[in-house]
Amino acid sequence: MALVPYMGGNGADYPVGSTIASTGVTGLTATLNAGTLANGSGVLTYTLTGTPLATGTATFPITIGGQSCSFSVTVNPTGTGGNTSSCTSASPARVLAAVNAFKATLSAAQLATVELAYNSANCYTWSNLPASLSARKGLRLADLSPAQRALALAIVQAATGTIPNEGFDEVNQVVAADDVLGAIQPNGYGNFQYYIAFYGTPAATGTWQLQFTGHHITHNITYKNGVVAGGSPIFNAVEPDTWTANGTAFDPLGQEKAGLRAMLAGLTSSQLASAKLSSTFTDIVVGPGKDKQFPTTKVGLAVSSLSTAQQALVLAAMRPWVQDLDAETATCLLTIYQNELNGTFIAFSGSETLTNQNDYVRIDGPSVWIEFLYAGGVIYRNQPHVHSLYRDRTRDYGGSF
């Protein structure tokens, strides 16, 4: 599915459009879904079908109401195994340069610790527990010199997004929250209790994975032949939920919370009833140690039943998680998830305001999987704190396992 914005709508109804063949990358067609123009600005919905005959950009020329324009979609190369697409961006080259600069400072023992085999046993080794309670792979930041530590974090910065409160900024804020916990309970908490590992040999060819992991944040980004083959799973959590330090207010997952609240607030009472689950959740469903254990049946409210404006809110709710990745990869993945909205479901448990312990939300698509939960407080006992997860059913760990 593709959403095309417009201005100057007159409220008129319009029928199903004729089929439009793609140019550039051929083999695809777009068909306008019937609907009613808004009075002013709105969105047209096109259904995309067919099999692309190449990779690159597929362009669709459209005319409606005497106005002409075009829209484009990116067709990405198929990854190993035929079940995943890779996203081309400039980030892998930057990441590789940063990795090589870091590796040049390491001893032989450190190199042997940080660079391990690319296999599921290694890649699946991450947790939401403090490192003192759950062993990690790779080098711990606390065991590096200040210069090495800066170079290690430069790798993470090169691999992640640049939007404020997302990407590397979010990493820094979540890690800073561990310092807040460490001031109360030093054992196991703190910004140096995070680990970096490379699974496979970092190179412009072949397959390898960057993993940055610790208590409340984990990034797994897989590269195949110099492109991002998978940017998930990403685990984001934070305790305390918000705090103030030196006059600055911190809310690392504020955009994630706002997007989900807006998505649920945009539903009617009957839609909320369809989306609400009877179960009570005390943790996310497909968290650490539960790789590939997705529910076999989608539950909740079908996004295909929503208006175009409501569907746009679903896509906007996904965006903060996906934008933790570099901008080009995020755009590529969001295009895929947008085109899969008709096969996506949303569900929640507890309150749609997302303010109470055990409030839970899920976005479950053909590819995308996002979970959000207000878990019980651990250090701040009287405050719930966020656990959230972004996975991709076909692209986790590059789709290799």
Side-chain angles (χ1 to χ4, degrees), residues 298 337 340-345 364-368 392-394:
K298 296 186 186 301
Y337 301 156
E340 295 178 342
L341 281 176
N342 276 345
T344 300
F345 283 68
D364 182 7
S367 298
V368 70
D392 188 302
R393 288 174 178 267
T394 59

Side-chain angles (χ1 to χ4, degrees), residues 292-354:
K292 303 183 77 68
Q293 297 180 35
F294 297 101
T296 56
T297 302
K298 296 186 186 301
V299 295
L301 178 66
V303 175
S304 61
S305 69
L306 303 182
S307 69
T308 54
Q310 291 172 319
Q311 290 183 354
L313 289 174
V314 175
L315 187 66
M318 300 178 194
R319 189 169 286 116
W321 276 274
V322 184
Q323 286 180 335
D324 285 339
L325 299 167
D326 74 88
E328 293 162 295
T329 298
T331 298
C332 167
L333 289 169
L334 283 168
T335 298
I336 293 169
Y337 301 156
Q338 176 180 330
N339 291 336
E340 295 178 342
L341 281 176
N342 276 345
T344 300
F345 283 68
I346 58 175
F348 78 101
S349 175
S351 169
E352 64 269 23
T353 61
L354 300 185

Side-chain angles (χ1 to χ4, degrees), residues 100-232:
N100 288 335
F102 174 62
K103 287 174 62 176
T105 71
L106 302 180
S107 67
Q110 287 175 316
L111 278 171
T113 301
V114 75
E115 195 169 287
L116 304 169
Y118 179 72
N119 56 44
S120 59
N122 285 332
C123 293
Y124 291 178
T125 304
W126 57 274
S127 173
N128 64 294
L129 296 174
S132 59
L133 299 178
S134 181
R136 305 304 206 275
K137 303 282 188 179
L139 287 171
R140 187 176 64 153
L141 296 187
D143 298 326
L144 301 176
S145 70
Q148 290 174 323
R149 197 154 48 238
L151 289 170
L153 291 173
I155 299 168
V156 182
Q157 183 174 15
T160 53
T162 59
I163 294 174
N165 244 44
E166 306 298 350
F168 190 60
D169 185 24
E170 183 178 278
V171 169
N172 284 328
Q173 290 189 53
V174 170
V175 170
D178 262 19
D179 285 336
V180 176
L181 300 181
I184 301 171
Q185 185 173 313
N187 183 29
Y189 297 102
N191 67 82
F192 291 166
Q193 304 300 321
Y194 282 77
Y195 289 70
I196 189 167
F198 314 131
Y199 301 131
T201 302
T205 58
T207 300
W208 70 281
Q209 180 184 309
L210 166 65
Q211 185 177 82
F212 180 75
T213 181
H215 174 215
H216 266 167
I217 201 157
T218 292
H219 277 266
N220 295 286
I221 306 175
T222 306
Y223 303 92
K224 292 185 178 182
N225 297 322
V227 298
V228 178
S232 56

